Amino acid sequence: MTDSQNNSGVVEPRGPKPRKIMSRRNIILYGTLLVVAIYYLIPLYVMIVTSLKGMPEIRLGNIFSPPVEVTFEPWIKAWSQACTGLNCDGLSRGFWNSVQITLPSVIVSIAIASVNGYALANWRFKGANLFFTILIFGAFIPYQIMIYPLVILLRDLGIYTKLPGLILIHSIFGMPILTLLFRNYFTTIPEELFKAARVDGAKFWGIYFRVMMPMSLPIFVVAIIMQVTGIWNDFLFGVIYTKPDTYPMTVQLNNIVNSVQGVKEYNVNMAATLLTGLVPLTIYFISGKLFVRGIAAGAVKG
Amino acid sequence: MISKAQLERLFVSSVMLAFASLAISIVGIKPQLFQNIQLLFLVIALISVLVLGVQSKTIQFNANRLKKQIIGWILSSFFSILIWSFAQKDVQSIFPAIKGYRKALNTLEPVAIYLSIVFILFALILAIVGARDSRLDRPGYIERTLVYNLSSKIAAIPMMLTSVGIFIVATLWTVYHSFTNSRMLPKSEFIGLAQYERLWNSDRWYMSIENLAIYGACSLVFSLFIGFLLAALLDQKTRFENTFRTIFLYPFALSFIVTGLVWQWILNPEYGVEKIVRSLGFESFVFNPLYNTDIVIYGILAAGLWQGTGFIMCLMLAGLRGIDQEIWKAAKIDGIPMWKTYIQVVIPMMRPIFITTLVIIAAGIIKVYDLVVAQTSGGPGISSEVPAKYVYDYMFSAQNLGQGFAASTMMLVSVLIVLIPFAYLQFGRRKYD
């Protein structure tokens, strides 16, 4: 992280002068960071606090005050009773839909993209880079321009508004960034290993399964994290390529909270919002540095 | 007389052109014409195979050094014929189990026929090429295209299909249909620029563009500024760096929907910030960005910045870590204050990172949709509409496809304006490296 670790062979006093803890610089530095951190944490705090209050308390108090009487009623209601349109079985339906969408999409998209990245990195053929360039361009083009032809395609295949259709869509649109991720990683693996495997007689798939895949577990974990959070958080594709029965969680959440009928139950809304955010947040807090690495790798182009 | 190499090139290019015309006919642009063109190219391919066969005077399937390949292509052809036959009504009446997939099979039918013909042609041409004793001969164009590195090419098929078959074809399809009067269903009747005229005469589109401009400009400036500032603060060998970074980045893991709903709640005038300030004694305090048509977009901006700045900070932090530490020592020796070093040395050094970040933010801004839907649904009135929402509403709610296509084409154009110079810079730079 710092240079002092890098050149540890040098024998001279190094590093900054020891500083007082309460120097003016430190107060400004940590003061600013603390204020910003509080600003970032407020929405999470408000969500949690609101979801634990009863409706009367919300009407009387303010949104920042901690709950006087902690109740889990809103959570239960959000999970199993909140209404969207006609069906009133809560967010649980959306949750299971999202699970059914996310798992296969993640597996399919990563399987395809890793093989693609491997082909691009180690078995380059003429014209491969052209396709790759188009693919990367596709990541930046607004999805809106490709939405409708894909509706027609899915309708022709008979999977429009069904879960397999959405899985296909996620696999397609996950491909650019994942292929880039894998290609960049595989090019950093020393070529000697690849050559040695070839000399030993391994072919395309043999090298992939026996050499490349075992060596690149971290990047697979990064890709899984990226895809799970990305697909779980998706709204646009969910709202276009599914119908109320198969809505993923985000779409259902939006419908519950922004429905115009009935009395607004803010505590239930916040509980539902938290429930939806819980999956990516859990992944984020568990994965820590890998998450950061994933977004940085997805962002920094060749 | 045409040489062998020319014939081989003719074969491969006519197969590819046949595939292109098949794709065009499937998309629905003059299907009859392009099917005929496809047939024409297939015939040309067949003729070139025959001429090659006549020239080399041998067609040998057995005792051929490319035997495995030939068998493989024949098997693939067999499978495509199988798929094609499943799409036929007679076969379906024999095996009723297939009927559930009828729609998918009908879509695949033309491709299956094409593939079965092409694969047979491949097998034929390999039998011709591989029959000659070519120990001294350099392997021809056909062999290099069809045999060498084949696994890699097969593995890259999903990528090719996605990049060309979906990204390019779908984009062209939409651009083409933005010049038609499609309403409920896409039509191919050409009406020129009428959709664009209507688009640019629509108040709602102007509002969308204006909102996007405000949102885009502000979020570019603020997220770059705040992101860089936070990264610089965290780069001072700060303690608890990881904790702070975790806190700043967590909103990025959340869905835009979740972000939008939380901020809708915080900015709620009845219960949120406005009420709290009023209860402190400022009775006339007004702060209801989501219900005021003039400033609603800033309410959305607040939520967007809350979610996205942590990400920018991470990119900036990575950039700062890439700066040579000797720079700081040199600056210190020269007695240059830290803020001046940042502005005059470090930021110019981080130019590539800034450009990349800029493009990422810009590409993200134009896609803004979920946040608006969750926070305001475009309201009050039309005061927080954005182009992405315009496209969605016209395509799927207002049943006016032509408008949706025209609007999405405008979005594409604006992205390309940003993207092409960037790509040019990237590729240009690589040349000189």
Side-chain angles (χ1 to χ4, degrees), chain B residues 226-246:
Chain B
I226 299 171
F228 185 79
L229 200 70
L230 289 180
L233 287 178
L234 283 189
D235 198 35
Q236 310 299 319
K237 305 196 170 71
T238 315
R239 296 181 70 185
F240 311 116
E241 184 199 317
N242 278 336
T243 317
F244 280 119
R245 202 186 51 202
T246 310

Side-chain angles (χ1 to χ4, degrees), chain A residues 1-3 7 16 19 25 29-30 32-34 36-37 39-47 50 55 58-64 112 115-116 119-120 123-126 128 131-135 137-153 155-158 160 172-173 175-176 179 204-205 229 232-236 239-240 250 253-254 257-258 264 266 270 273 276-277 280-281 284-285 289 291-292 295-296 299-302, chain B residues 103-104 107-108 149 151-153 155-160 162-164 166-168 170-171 173-175 184-186 230 233-234 236-242 244-258 261-266 268 270-273 275-276 302 305-306 309-311 314-315 321 325 329 356 359-360 363 366-367 369-370 373-374 377 388 391-392 395-396 401 405 408-409 411-412 415-416 419-420 423 426-427 430:
Chain A
M1 197 171 296
T2 60
D3 57 327
N7 40 18
R19 269 193 291 251
R25 173 187 169 278
L29 176 66
Y30 289 102
T32 320
L33 283 174
L34 215 61
V36 180
Y39 170 76
Y40 270 87
L41 284 174
I42 278 178
L44 188 64
Y45 168 77
V46 168
M47 258 196 283
T50 310
M55 260 326 267
I58 290 178
R59 288 204 193 89
L60 292 173
N62 74 47
I63 55 172
F64 296 116
I112 293 176
V115 175
N116 271 343
L120 283 170
W123 298 82
R124 216 166 289 166
F125 54 90
K126 221 175 159 187
F131 291 113
F132 183 62
T133 312
I134 297 171
L135 201 70
F137 253 81
F140 285 105
I141 289 175
Y143 298 142
Q144 276 74 14
I145 200 149
M146 295 179 262
I147 283 174
Y148 201 81
L150 285 172
V151 169
I152 296 176
L153 177 75
R155 204 182 277 151
D156 284 349
L157 291 174
Y160 181 50
I172 288 170
F173 286 108
M175 208 184 284
T179 307
F204 186 87
W205 297 106
T229 48
W232 192 276
N233 288 340
D234 158 71
F235 176 78
L236 181 69
V239 81
I240 290 170
T250 46
L253 168 73
N254 186 46
V257 177
N258 283 330
K264 288 223 166 194
Y266 296 106
M270 281 303 114
T273 311
T276 311
L281 273 187
Y284 171 70
F285 284 118
K289 274 197 169 162
F291 184 90
V292 179
I295 59 170
V300 180
K301 306 261 175 294
Chain B
K103 265 191 152 173
T107 316
L108 290 177
N149 213 353
S151 312
S152 170
K153 284 168 195 164
I157 284 177
M159 183 185 78
M160 297 179 195
T162 308
S163 59
V164 177
I166 293 181
F167 290 166
I168 287 198
T171 304
W173 189 95
T174 307
V175 173
M184 272 278 280
L185 292 169
L230 289 180
L233 287 178
L234 283 189
Q236 310 299 319
K237 305 196 170 71
T238 315
R239 296 181 70 185
F240 311 116
E241 184 199 317
N242 278 336
F244 280 119
R245 202 186 51 202
T246 310
I247 292 173
F248 296 154
L249 191 61
Y250 90 90
F252 191 71
L254 290 173
S255 165
F256 269 122
I257 298 291
V258 171
L261 294 177
V262 176
W263 281 90
Q264 187 193 48
W265 173 234
I266 291 177
N268 185 326
E270 265 178 86
Y271 305 103
V273 177
K275 185 189 175 187
I276 291 162
L305 283 179
W306 177 74
T309 315
F311 173 52
C314 265
L315 293 179
R321 292 280 144 83
Q325 294 295 322
K329 287 181 191 161
T356 314
V359 171
I360 291 170
I366 205 144
K367 289 177 184 168
Y369 170 72
D370 328 23
V373 170
S377 317
V391 172
Y392 176 83
M395 276 189 195
F396 296 97
L401 287 175
F405 295 153
S408 58
T409 307
M411 285 174 74
L412 173 74
V415 167
L416 289 183
L419 206 57
I420 287 176
Q426 282 272 333
F427 287 114
R430 207 170 287 163

Side-chain angles (χ1 to χ4, degrees), chain A residues 214-254:
Chain A
M215 282 195 66
S216 46
L217 278 182
I219 208 71
F220 275 90
V221 176
V222 167
I224 290 172
I225 293 167
M226 264 172 77
Q227 281 299 86
V228 171
T229 48
I231 295 172
W232 192 276
N233 288 340
D234 158 71
F235 176 78
L236 181 69
F237 296 139
V239 81
I240 290 170
Y241 298 107
T242 54
K243 59 178 186 294
D245 273 350
T246 47
Y247 274 163
M249 204 171 186
T250 46
V251 180
Q252 213 192 1
L253 168 73
N254 186 46

